[in-house]
Every structure is written in C-alpha cells, then in structure tokens.
Amino acid sequence: MNKKNILITGGAGFIGSHVVRLFVSKYPSYNIINLDKLTYAGNLENLRDIENATNYTFVKGCITDELFIHELFTNKSITHVIHLAAESHVDRSISDPLIFIKTNLLGTANLLHAARDTWKEATEDRIFYHVSTDEVYGSLAMDRELFTEKTPYDPRSPYSASKAGSDHLVRAWGHTYHMPVVISNCSNNYGPNQFPEKLIPLFIHNIVQKKPLPVYGKGENVRDWLHVEDHARAIDQVFHRGRHGETYNIGGLNEWKNIDLIRLLCDTVDKKLHRPVGSSQDLITFVKDRAGHDLRYAIDASKIEKELGWSPEYTFETGLEATVDWYLQNQDWLDRVTSGAYQEYYDKMYTQ
Ligand code: NAD
Ligand code: TYD
C-alpha cells in the first residue's frame, strides 16, 4: 500500500489541533502535513507536544492561494485531505462576512481543484474529507425534532451559509469528477484550546476574572455540546471507514439551554476556586440578542453510531469538569491568547 500523505488544513486551530495530535500519535506510518494560515484563531502552542514528531510537518500558508496549494499537493504528494481550515465564529461572520466567503468557499474550491488536478482519475487510497457543521441545517423549533443527514439545508448566518456552500462544492466535485469525498456535520464542540471568543472558554475566562457574562437575548437558545476529543475520534472513524459520497452527523445528544449551561459553568468554577457556590451567577448580564440568532441545534447521530460504531466517550459532566480544570490549569495559555502573545511563537519556532 502507498504511503498516506495526509493534508490536514486548519490544524493549528481548536478542533484541528486535536485531530492532528490524534493522527500523529496514533498513526506513526502516516505523514501528517498541517497547513494553516495562522489567523487570530491559529495557535501552534496547541501542538507543542507533537511538533518534533518525525511524521509531522507544519506548513504556513493560505488555502485560497491557488499556485501555493497546487505546489503543495505536488511537492508533498498529498493523497488525503482532512479539511478543517475555516473562519468559524458566527459573531465575526455577522460583522465581517466577506472573509468567510473567501476562506470557506473559495478556499474549499481551491483545495478541491488542486486535489482533482493532481489526483487525476485516481480514487484508490484517496479521500477528500470536509469537516462541517450542523449549522448548515438551520434552526430547530423547541420540540423533539433532530437534524438528520436528510434534513434540507437552510443556513441562516453568513458563517453557516459559507459552510453550506462549501459542503455543496465538495458534493459537486464528488458527483462530477467521481472524486472520493466524505462530509461530517458536527454540533457545538467544547474542550481545551478553544479560542476564548466562543461561549464556554470566554465565560470561564470572564468568571475567573469576575467580568460580566454577556448572555444574548434571554439565554433560551439551545446548543448540543460535544467534547472535542470525541469529535476527533469520530473524524478518525469517518476518515478510515466512512463511505465515499456519504454524510455523517456527529453529536452528543446533549442539549443545553444557554442559560442553564452558563449557570452550571458558574457553579463549577465557583467550586474549583472555593468561592461561595452561586456567587458567579451575579456576573450574568443579559445583552442585546445576536442578529438572526438560531434558536436550537440538535443532532441525530444514529447513522455514525450504527455504521461506524462511534459514540461519545465523555459524559457532559466529566467533559465539562475536565474542560474547566484545563482552563484553570492553563491560565497562561488564556493570558497569552487574550494578549496576542501566542502569535510570536511561530516566529520563534519556524523562522530564523
Ligand atoms: P478555529 O477557528 O479554532 O480554527 C480554524 C483554523 O483555520 C485556524 O487555525 C486558522 O488559522 C485556520 N485558517 C483560517 N483561515 C485559513 C486560511 N485561509 N488558510 C489556512 N488556514 C486558515 O475553528 P474550529 O472551531 O477548530 O473549527 C474547525 C472546523 O470545524 C471549521 O471548518 C468549522 O466550521 C468546523 N466545526 C466547528 C465546530 C465548533 O464547534 N467549533 C463544530 C462543527 C464544525
Ligand atoms: P458560540 O460559542 O458562538 O457558538 P455558535 O454560535 O456557533 O453556536 O455560541 C454558543 C451559544 O451561546 C449561542 O447561542 C450564542 C450564545 N452566546 C452568548 O449568549 N454570549 C456570548 O458571548 C457568546 C460568544 C455566545
């Protein structure tokens, strides 16, 4: 069998760093090439523990750069792609939508084009895997309905529309050129290394600092939370065993109303910091709702469970507690991210 040269895009980001670590450590015979532009969300400090592994290479670059991506596919003889690089934060997509279109749509098309150009008709031992979001399906009402793989696409934010569009591009390349593609759509992730603009790390940071906790609207919106390591394990299964042309939904059957989750987070941090339990709830501040705020996301993950035997290993209680512990024990990581100091790490490590 040929050597697998796997391009993982966005590997310095939150989910990408967990996927890179899992693949580098679990599969020593694979070459893992981590391509990342190191935007504000990319942080190579997330990968310090594996950065010297012999089967790991980091390449700094942009997925929208046509010539550079083509040369990368050729020079590194890329045989597989796990594509995570994206602009990923809904609030940023509302204030600055065009970069989402550029990165998520043009970037994905550019990768598909380079794969098609260099792989030609080859399909054996090749895969283009797009890591996507459940937000492409739109918003659910407060009943028991769940997103399945057959739910029609109905994206409602610039972020989710750009991810929906990139899913369509991947399917179009699969259909038109018979390229071996696979897509997974996952619910909200939480865990170590998440940039503190997303709900859970931002609120842990603010609780520790005794800063206000800005709850959008009434805090009634519902999200389905999955630990990032469970997502990485699901990606491992889909990559190795997913059927070409298929879509797999990934989620933890773990729905939380924002306000309930925030109260639990306050109490968990209070316990850990030996503060009177409940005191941090005073920091909760209801603010203007997000524009177009989707009410509820919830995933039916029965297909990946049945077909690939995947199910989450963390319960929400163990996962959230471990996550709070991680952020409390890695305050320097949070400080360096919030101050911007993490961006100097690349210069020290990779440019002389
Ligand atoms: P993230 O914002 O933490 O990381 C994104 C990474 O992509 C960063 O390292 C960034 O530097 C890199 N990147 C951005 N633009 C780039 C470009 N033009 N060229 C090369 N690299 C670039 O995102 P995340 O939360 O880890 O999400 C990763 C993927 O998973 C995204 O595609 C996202 O849509 C998807 N996803 C995320 C979640 C979630 O809850 N976070 C859930 C489901 C799916
Ligand atoms: P977020 O982590 O941004 O993920 P997404 O929007 O992709 O689901 O937000 C999770 C939920 O928390 C979402 O309903 C918006 C809400 N939220 C707040 O109420 N306040 C905040 O400061 C943030 C960042 C999010």
Side-chain angles (χ1 to χ4, degrees):
M1 200 179 64
N2 292 333
K3 181 112 182 140
K4 282 186 172 52
N5 297 318
I6 306 176
L7 179 68
I8 301 186
T9 70
F14 166 49
I15 301 170
S17 62
H18 290 272
V19 175
V20 166
R21 176 175 299 100
L22 180 68
F23 273 68
V24 165
S25 49
K26 189 170 171 190
Y27 303 107
S29 69
Y30 297 175
N31 280 326
I32 304 298
I33 298 113
N34 172 12
L35 166 69
D36 200 297
K37 185 179 179 179
L38 300 181
T39 67
Y40 78 94
N43 183 355
L44 285 175
E45 294 189 11
N46 295 343
L47 291 166
R48 262 189 190 174
D49 52 329
I50 56 101
E51 69 193 2
N52 294 320
T54 50
N55 62 338
Y56 172 71
T57 311
F58 173 73
V59 179
K60 185 177 177 184
C62 180
I63 56 170
T64 66
D65 183 336
E66 199 177 329
L67 187 62
F68 162 75
I69 291 294
H70 200 281
E71 282 177 4
L72 185 72
F73 269 76
T74 309
N75 295 342
K76 303 278 184 199
S77 305
I78 299 299
T79 55
H80 298 72
V81 178
I82 305 178
H83 175 36
L84 296 109
E87 290 291 337
S88 70
H89 189 43
V90 174
D91 290 326
R92 284 181 192 255
S93 84
I94 294 167
S95 56
D96 193 10
L98 292 188
I99 186 68
F100 284 70
I101 306 307
K102 193 172 171 206
T103 300
N104 300 358
L105 281 166
L106 289 182
T108 303
N110 194 31
L111 290 164
L112 286 162
H113 188 59
R116 156 86 184 138
D117 255 10
T118 51
W119 294 353
K120 311 279 186 215
E121 307 302 319
T123 53
E124 209 181 312
D125 209 22
R126 295 274 193 286
I127 205 162
F128 191 106
Y129 177 5
H130 185 223
V131 175
S132 192
T133 166
D134 62 353
E135 303 191 25
V136 299
Y137 297 122
S139 182
L140 292 166
M142 285 293 188
D143 54 24
R144 293 200 308 187
E145 194 194 351
L146 302 174
F147 295 135
T148 74
E149 289 80 1
K150 293 197 171 66
T151 303
Y153 274 31
D154 182 24
R156 295 147 49 102
S157 74
Y159 164 66
S160 54
S162 69
K163 291 297 291 188
S166 53
D167 285 358
H168 289 322
L169 290 170
V170 173
R171 288 197 184 97
W173 257 251
H175 183 76
T176 307
Y177 305 114
H178 307 291
M179 208 153 108
V181 298
V182 68
I183 297 174
S184 59
N185 297 86
C186 187
S187 62
N188 286 61
N189 283 212
Y190 69 97
N193 298 342
Q194 189 167 29
F195 195 85
E197 62 185 355
K198 305 271 168 56
L199 180 75
I200 289 183
L202 175 71
F203 277 34
I204 295 174
H205 179 65
N206 286 10
I207 296 167
V208 172
Q209 305 279 326
K210 298 192 176 171
K211 287 185 181 163
L213 307 174
V215 180
Y216 298 160
K218 294 186 178 138
E220 298 282 314
N221 305 66
V222 173
R223 296 292 182 265
D224 175 1
W225 293 94
L226 182 72
H227 194 280
V228 64
E229 289 170 11
D230 279 323
H231 188 191
R233 282 189 277 270
I235 289 173
D236 183 7
Q237 290 304 315
V238 173
F239 177 81
H240 285 100
R241 300 175 49 226
R243 285 183 290 138
H244 294 177
E246 290 290 319
T247 295
Y248 295 87
N249 279 357
I250 304 171
L253 264 189
N254 178 42
E255 290 183 51
W256 282 81
K257 213 178 250 192
N258 288 343
I259 191 66
D260 296 337
L261 170 58
I262 291 160
R263 292 208 168 101
L264 174 66
L265 207 50
C266 287
D267 293 356
T268 307
V269 178
D270 280 345
K271 266 184 227 149
K272 302 268 173 197
L273 295 182
H274 308 292
R275 292 179 184 166
V277 173
S279 61
S280 293
Q281 291 195 27
D282 295 343
L283 300 167
I284 291 173
T285 310
F286 292 96
V287 299
K288 191 166 172 268
D289 207 355
R290 171 187 278 172
H293 198 172
D294 285 341
L295 181 63
R296 175 172 166 255
Y297 305 141
I299 280 276
D300 175 347
S302 52
K303 179 175 173 182
I304 188 172
E305 279 179 28
K306 276 193 209 122
E307 271 192 31
L308 307 183
W310 173 88
S311 57
E313 290 181 13
Y314 281 98
T315 63
F316 193 54
E317 287 67 30
T318 56
L320 193 71
E321 183 141 349
T323 300
V324 169
D325 283 341
W326 188 87
Y327 284 97
L328 294 180
Q329 284 156 18
N330 289 276
Q331 301 256 5
D332 55 329
W333 182 93
L334 260 184
D335 292 343
R336 288 172 61 72
V337 170
T338 43
S339 74
Y342 68 106
Q343 284 166 324
E344 293 158 16
Y345 186 69
Y346 166 78
D347 295 332
K348 242 191 289 151
M349 276 301 296
Y350 292 90
T351 52
Q352 297 301 329

